Amino acid sequence: LKTLCYVGGITHNRGVDILVKSIEGTGWTLHLAGKVYNERYLRKMKKMKGWENVNYLGVIDREGIKKLYEDSCVGMLLLRPREGFKDSLPIKLFEYMAAGIPVMASDFPLWREMIEDNRCGICVDPLNVEEIRHQINKLLDDTGLAREMGGNGRELVVRRYNWNQEKKQLKKFYARILSDSTHGV
């Protein structure tokens, strides 16, 4: 089954309409879960040809999200290039990686460094429907590559991007601040 997923806010800035356009005429299924913030935006997407390939689930609980990831081949994260997004680290990025599925994300420098340097997904121009479609096809056709990228992402979360590792960094940061403040700096 050739399935993609997106979990999060269903908004224009999160590029959901571009994702729907990208799957138009492909036979792929997009599992879409999350809160709709603008009913007009949802109505617009439902009129798109690609919507016939969408399985809209609405807001689902953690168990539903876990099942969705298990049933998906690629986790999609195509945020439009906005200042607030370019330096963000969305939780869904780490959730996709932890679930062992390859990530397709916007080609922002920070994300490219994390995703492509660690070979856990592919970064694309989030406004280029043809490039998105081509790269999705690449992952769906090459299951070995997709499995390898998903495994790399999972390993990265286990090894580096998890709360235990972040806790160590936070403790070092606090210790340094406290040390500086006691020395009059």
Side-chain angles (χ1 to χ4, degrees), residues 54-163:
V54 173
N55 176 23
Y56 178 56
L57 303 166
V59 176
I60 57 177
D61 62 16
R62 298 304 296 152
E63 280 303 309
I65 292 171
K66 182 178 181 239
K67 173 94 171 86
L68 176 62
Y69 292 162
E70 289 170 358
D71 294 341
S72 297
C73 301
V74 182
M76 304 300 296
L77 183 57
L78 301 176
L79 304 184
R80 280 185 161 80
R82 305 279 190 266
E83 280 311 308
F85 291 154
K86 290 180 181 180
D87 295 320
S88 68
L89 291 173
I91 291 172
K92 80 174 94 312
L93 170 62
F94 299 104
E95 287 181 351
Y96 294 158
M97 290 166 50
I101 56 177
V103 178
M104 180 158 306
S106 301
D107 191 9
F108 302 154
L110 177 65
W111 294 9
R112 184 179 334 111
E113 181 181 327
M114 181 184 301
I115 295 167
E116 292 194 347
D117 288 1
N118 291 292
R119 293 193 33 84
C120 58
I122 298 173
C123 292
V124 295
D125 176 347
L127 304 177
N128 185 329
V129 170
E130 289 307 314
E131 179 186 1
I132 295 165
R133 186 177 292 145
H134 172 75
Q135 295 298 347
I136 290 171
N137 198 51
K138 179 179 175 178
L139 286 174
L140 294 178
D141 279 354
D142 190 341
T143 56
L145 175 64
R147 194 174 9 263
E148 177 187 335
M149 287 181 165
N152 291 344
R154 173 90 177 118
E155 176 60 31
L156 193 58
V157 168
V158 167
R159 188 172 32 86
R160 180 163 179 215
Y161 294 112
N162 61 67
W163 286 117

